[in-house]
Amino acid sequence: MIPVRNTQNDGQRGAAALVEVRDLKVTISGRQVASLPDLNLGPGECVALVGESGSGKTTSLLALLGLLRASDCAVSGSVRVCDVDVLAASPNQLRSLRGARIALVMQSPQGSLNPTMRLGVLLRHALTLHGIKGRPALSRIKLALDSVRLQESILRRYPHEISGGQAQRFGIALALALGADIIAADEPTSALDVTVQAEIMALLQQLRQQQGMALLLVSHDLALVSTVADRVIVMRDGQVVESGPAQQVLQNPAEPYTRELLAAVPTLEGAK
């Protein structure tokens, strides 16, 4: 069984939830593709949505961000992020929420950056959109880059001129510069090699511990999830099949599907 690190910060227990979800359902063209009955995320906590491809975990994450508004898509239930009712919020309210309060870190970090803009221009543009300009913006940029261990010279580069690990660090720096309370990370290490994966997850852990940022993690990698998550929600075919504290779910799973996922985690013994 995967060993699980207990990352729960006792000082954060009982704190007001940054994310509260009740009875979330997503339907596309009349077919229900995701259902999330319950999710709470507090300051400094990490909740992981896990499951195979097509399980509904990324769809649920996009619903939390208010990004599922196509004509053939219906989202119901209750979703509150930083006291904003996401499903009832106006486009302007959602634009203020995204980035400044909850920041999305994508699976393909370079693909999420505008290829025609130098990183410095992109970063300053994002801050300007949220009303942060001049010296305050420059100060935030410097502090954010220092926090993710990037040199200021990277701001002169285009996205194609940096590595995948640098691009992921830059995405996290953008969240820090905007002052986000929550990082929503969708498979944030799947496009990176093992060494860089470890560096990115160590960085996210550091931000949780030192700055109280919350982490909502979408991943199929249970070995990675076991090192960071306080709670785990296991999804299959758009439904939650098991949820609970990470130690309980990953060390003593109740559902056969969770046991199958754990059995599929590569081990050194299995490679022999």
Side-chain angles (χ1 to χ4, degrees), residues 223-266:
L224 179 148
V225 165
S226 70
T227 66
V228 297
D230 299 308
R231 297 192 304 281
V232 173
I233 298 173
V234 183
M235 300 188 71
R236 183 182 193 184
D237 296 331
Q239 303 291 324
V240 173
V241 297
E242 185 167 2
S243 65
Q247 290 183 317
Q248 172 187 312
V249 173
L250 299 180
Q251 292 186 349
N252 189 28
E255 294 297 319
Y257 177 66
T258 308
R259 292 195 288 271
E260 290 175 12
L261 289 178
L262 288 166
V265 176

Side-chain angles (χ1 to χ4, degrees), residues 5 26 47 66 77 110 117 119 128 144-145 172 191 215 234 243 251-252 256 264 267 271:
R5 179 186 301 169
V26 180
V47 173
Q110 285 159 311
M117 298 175 69
L119 297 179
T128 298
L145 292 177
I172 296 169
L215 176 62
V234 183
S243 65
Q251 292 186 349
N252 189 28
T267 63

Side-chain angles (χ1 to χ4, degrees), residues 105-113 164 167-168 186-192:
V105 174
M106 302 292 287
Q107 179 175 357
S108 176
Q110 285 159 311
S112 65
L113 301 174
Q168 203 63 291
D186 185 6
E187 301 280 8
T189 62
S190 64
L192 308 175

Side-chain angles (χ1 to χ4, degrees), residues 58-134:
T58 295
T59 299
S60 299
L61 180 67
L62 295 177
L64 297 185
L65 290 159
L67 292 172
L68 297 178
R69 296 204 164 191
S71 59
D72 62 343
C73 180
V75 182
S76 62
S78 174
V79 178
R80 298 194 68 84
V81 177
C82 299
D83 290 327
V84 174
D85 184 344
V86 172
L87 302 189
S90 68
N92 283 338
Q93 287 175 313
L94 289 175
R95 277 193 291 270
S96 297
L97 178 70
R98 300 183 196 125
R101 304 303 303 275
I102 181 169
L104 178 62
V105 174
M106 302 292 287
Q107 179 175 357
S108 176
Q110 285 159 311
S112 65
L113 301 174
N114 188 326
T116 69
M117 298 175 69
R118 295 184 190 272
L119 297 179
V121 174
L122 192 155
L123 190 48
R124 288 191 295 273
H125 179 65
L127 290 171
T128 298
L129 288 175
H130 287 276
I132 307 167
K133 304 176 183 178

